[in-house]
Amino acid sequence: MGGLARKKSDALFAEALERIPGGVNSPVRAFRAVGGKPFFVDRARGCRVWDVDGNEYIDYIGTWGPAIHGHAHPRIIEAIRSAAERGTSFGIPNPLEVKMASLICEAVPSVEKVRMCNSGTEACMAAIRVARGHTKRNKVIKFEGCYHGHVDSLLVNAGSGALTFGHPDSAGVPAAFTQHTVVVRFNDIEAVKAAFLANSNDIAAVILEPVPGNAGLYLPKPGFLTFLREITREEGAVLIFDEVMTGFRLARGGAQERFGVQPDLTCFGKIIGGGLPVGAFGGRRDIMNCLAPLGPVYQAGTLSGNPLAMAAGIVALEMLGHETYNTLEKLGAQLEEGMLEAARAAGVPVQFLRCGSMFCCYFTDLPVHDLADAMKSDRDRFARYFHRMLDGGISLAPSQFEAGFLCTAHTPADIERTVEAAARALRGLN
Ligand SMILES: *Cc1c(COP(=O)(O)O)cnc(C)c1O
């Protein structure tokens, strides 16, 4: 700790602590899991961020997923500028909303209709509501370590920030609000069968991150997603893929394209806003038609379909082609190979998990398939690794339980520099 001078950041953080709870507007940013203090960003461009003290970092936070084209992409900035000149919000339908809806439906064939909202949290909350309205059932199955935003009823074993702070169930959520939430281990087929058996004809939905990226990163075992598709169909429950993180990242059609399994509903956010606040949920026409004003399920938003967010998101989606995913896959493979070699040379046992441009380095010699496995990672070691990387000019998420993100602005030379920094950081960590 303390390799780089961060005087201005430290002063800002002291001031922030007086006026903002924990000094941050989202808990994981506060560095509590790794110790020390966060730096404050002055500006960002491509894969780089500069803090207010002038230090430069290669960034793997990527604004927690959205920045697939890197920061401040000139085409996205221009789209925002020109949209802003026509007005920042109308509360009246605008053409960009229609364009965005068709882009999502074209890229993700399981989505026949889609509604925009303002965050991934809202998308998940509304998807659950419409699934309940459609099935006229109450219960929802979710998985340990999967995060679906800070929705009351889903804030159970939720990974991410909640995990980092060791109270997976938030205070302020009455037990009655989660009594319809059934929590099951990820990748555990028998547990899902048992949950359906114990709640016959009352499961409205199964919601999951098809590739969980909020407890670090782990992958669905072969056949797990297909099994969920089959059992939900047999049981008359709605299968919801929360692709807020994986949508347009693991493929243009998201994890569902990559793994070849089509859910009934999908939640989006992050990338589809091009860096502006956004969320969306969509899917089968008959289910989406339950929403007001067509049906009885209420959902609304003053800023939903906001023209700035639509303009930024449309350009972000238009710039995603096959070559994007090839590029990201190559960069990911280079990082994976380099990291494994660096860890081996340093004699530090790691599990480097990767899916396309998402990755996580766990400090354990045991394979990671679920939350319990992820929890075995040596978090002290992660904290020391994190700070050494930061002092080496590499910005990773300040928690073991977060995924890292590559963007198209990373170059093979950036990856090489990152691997060199990792090799130095890992040496002597064992
Ligand atoms: C980020 C995330 C959310 C929440 O989105 P917000 O925009 O932060 O509310 C929900 N689900 C998943 C899988 C996410 O990664």
Side-chain angles (χ1 to χ4, degrees):
M1 249 175 272
L4 298 178
R6 300 193 188 99
K7 279 174 79 169
K8 288 183 186 165
S9 275
D10 289 352
L12 277 166
F13 193 52
E15 200 180 331
L17 284 169
E18 289 299 311
R19 294 293 180 211
I20 307 172
V24 291
N25 281 313
S26 196
V28 179
R29 297 179 198 166
F31 275 39
R32 289 283 185 102
V34 292
K37 297 174 207 162
F39 64 84
F40 281 67
V41 173
D42 176 53
R43 67 201 157 87
R45 194 166 183 91
C47 71
R48 284 179 166 67
V49 296
W50 288 269
D51 69 17
V52 289
D53 290 288
N55 300 305
E56 177 181 312
Y57 308 88
I58 300 177
D59 178 42
Y60 291 95
I61 297 178
T63 186
W64 304 85
I68 195 164
H69 302 294
H71 297 283
H73 192 286
R75 282 188 57 193
I76 295 180
I77 301 302
E78 182 45 41
I80 296 170
R81 195 196 314 277
S82 84
E85 278 165 3
R86 295 155 180 258
T88 56
S89 174
F90 315 121
I92 301 169
N94 75 77
L96 297 175
E97 296 172 89
V98 188
K99 173 90 182 170
M100 173 60 92
S102 2
L103 277 171
I104 293 175
C105 294
E106 277 161 24
V108 189
S110 73
V111 178
E112 294 175 312
K113 284 193 176 182
V114 60
R115 180 164 282 174
M116 304 306 300
C117 52
N118 301 297
S119 69
T121 296
E122 268 187 64
C124 295
M125 182 179 74
I128 296 281
R129 186 180 300 154
V130 75
R132 284 176 166 150
H134 171 75
T135 57
K136 302 188 174 63
R137 296 174 178 181
N138 288 326
K139 293 210 155 72
V140 172
I141 294 178
K142 83 170 283 286
F143 294 89
E144 287 173 4
C146 282
Y147 177 65
H148 306 296
H150 57 98
V151 179
D152 278 341
S153 66
L154 296 177
L155 216 45
V156 187
N157 284 282
S160 195
L163 255 189
T164 300
F165 304 121
H167 37 82
D169 308 289
S170 171
V173 180
F177 287 21
T178 56
Q179 72 179 14
H180 296 304
T181 309
V182 180
V183 184
V184 167
R185 196 165 80 167
F186 194 79
N187 271 328
D188 189 339
I189 287 179
E190 292 311 314
V192 176
K193 284 185 186 163
F196 270 103
L197 211 59
N199 300 280
S200 59
N201 293 323
D202 200 23
I203 302 290
V206 173
I207 186 168
L208 72 153
E209 299 178 65
V211 177
N214 281 286
L217 179 78
Y218 40 84
L219 289 137
K221 284 187 178 164
F224 184 62
L225 299 177
T226 308
F227 159 75
L228 293 177
R229 177 62 285 177
E230 284 162 5
I231 195 168
T232 45
R233 194 172 278 141
E234 283 160 19
E235 299 278 348
V238 176
L239 181 61
I240 307 174
F241 276 8
D242 175 354
E243 297 227 42
V244 171
M245 186 183 282
T246 55
F248 293 91
R249 177 165 285 282
L250 295 185
R252 192 168 163 79
Q256 53 196 275
E257 176 184 320
R258 197 168 175 120
F259 292 90
V261 176
Q262 300 224 326
D264 301 306
L265 293 180
T266 304
C267 307
F268 299 96
K270 299 194 168 128
I271 286 176
I272 65 163
L276 271 69
V278 96
F281 61 103
R284 263 168 51 191
R285 187 183 305 273
D286 59 326
I287 302 178
M288 292 302 288
N289 284 349
C290 296
L291 280 173
L294 292 180
V297 177
Y298 194 69
Q299 187 277 337
T302 302
L303 292 176
S304 295
N306 174 266
L308 300 193
M310 296 304 97
I314 287 167
V315 173
L317 298 192
E318 283 176 344
M319 287 194 293
L320 292 169
H322 277 298
E323 69 297 343
T324 310
Y325 299 99
N326 291 338
T327 303
L328 292 172
E329 186 62 45
K330 274 194 206 131
L331 292 167
Q334 185 193 347
L335 181 66
E336 178 173 352
E337 207 174 294
M339 286 296 299
L340 289 174
E341 173 55 26
R344 200 198 51 75
V348 177
V350 303
Q351 300 295 316
F352 191 85
L353 278 277
R354 181 177 74 86
C355 191
S357 57
M358 293 164 61
F359 65 88
C360 178
C361 185
Y362 294 107
F363 291 89
T364 169
D365 49 8
L366 302 169
V368 179
H369 299 293
D370 57 35
L371 178 61
D373 295 338
M375 296 295 282
K376 291 184 189 128
S377 179
D378 183 337
R379 276 176 269 172
D380 286 340
R381 198 170 270 181
F382 173 81
R384 282 181 285 140
Y385 169 71
F386 168 84
H387 281 291
R388 288 178 179 200
M389 289 296 272
L390 197 61
D391 287 342
I394 311 294
S395 173
L396 301 169
S399 162
Q400 172 70 84
F401 302 114
E402 302 292 345
F405 299 100
L406 289 155
C407 69
T408 56
H410 285 108
T411 64
D414 293 319
I415 305 294
E416 208 170 300
R417 262 190 63 187
T418 304
V419 168
E420 282 163 15
R424 283 192 301 275
L426 288 165
R427 229 172 280 141
L429 258 198
N430 58 347

